[in-house]
Amino acid sequence: MKNLIAAAAVAASMLVLVQPASAQCGKASWYALKSRTASGEMMNASAMTAAHRSLKFGTKVRVVNKRNGKSVVVRINDRGPFVKGRIIDVSKAAARQLGFISSGHTNICIAKV
C-alpha cells in the first residue's frame, strides 16, 4: 500500500512539472472546413493548426489529451471555438494524433511552446 501511495505521489508531482503555470485546461473539439481562417489562410484539415479565441496568430501550443496522454504541437491560425466550455478547436489531423476523432471532443491542457 505504501508503494502505491508513493507511486501516486510521484505521478502527481510529474503532472505538476508537465503542466506549466501558464497551462490552460478545458475541452477541445476538432474541425475541418473548406474556407479561409481568420488569419486569411485556407483551412487545411491535414495541417497541425488550431483556433483559439485570443492567442496571437502563429503562436505554437502543445495540446495534451488528458484522457490518453497523447500530445501534439499546433500553430494558431484561426479564431474560436465559439462553444461554451471549449478552449481550442484543432484540425482533423491534430485530433487524429490526439486520438479523439470519433468522440469529437476531449479534455485537454494547452501551453505555449
Side-chain angles (χ1 to χ4, degrees):
M1 186 66 162
K2 285 183 182 179
N3 288 342
L4 182 59
I5 293 170
V10 169
S13 68
M14 289 173 62
L15 285 175
V16 171
L17 293 174
V18 170
Q19 183 178 320
S22 62
Q24 185 181 17
C25 298
K27 288 218 180 266
S29 52
W30 67 269
Y31 73 124
L33 304 173
K34 294 188 179 187
S35 61
R36 292 205 179 273
T37 65
S39 68
E41 296 178 37
M42 286 301 296
M43 172 66 183
N44 180 351
S46 62
M48 300 307 257
T49 57
H52 189 274
R53 287 185 194 101
S54 60
L55 289 173
K56 292 174 79 173
F57 295 140
T59 300
K60 291 186 178 182
V61 295
R62 177 170 304 282
V63 182
V64 179
N65 185 336
K66 291 173 68 175
R67 293 182 180 169
N68 62 19
K70 293 181 180 181
S71 72
V72 67
V73 174
V74 295
R75 180 178 51 84
I76 304 300
N77 74 336
D78 204 0
R79 291 291 171 234
F82 301 108
V83 175
K84 186 177 179 180
R86 295 190 188 165
I87 61 170
I88 196 166
D89 277 337
V90 300
S91 65
K92 187 174 184 178
R96 182 176 290 112
Q97 284 195 14
L98 290 166
F100 74 96
I101 289 281
S102 62
S103 66
H105 57 84
T106 194
N107 293 315
I108 54 89
C109 287
I110 64 171
K112 290 182 187 180
V113 293

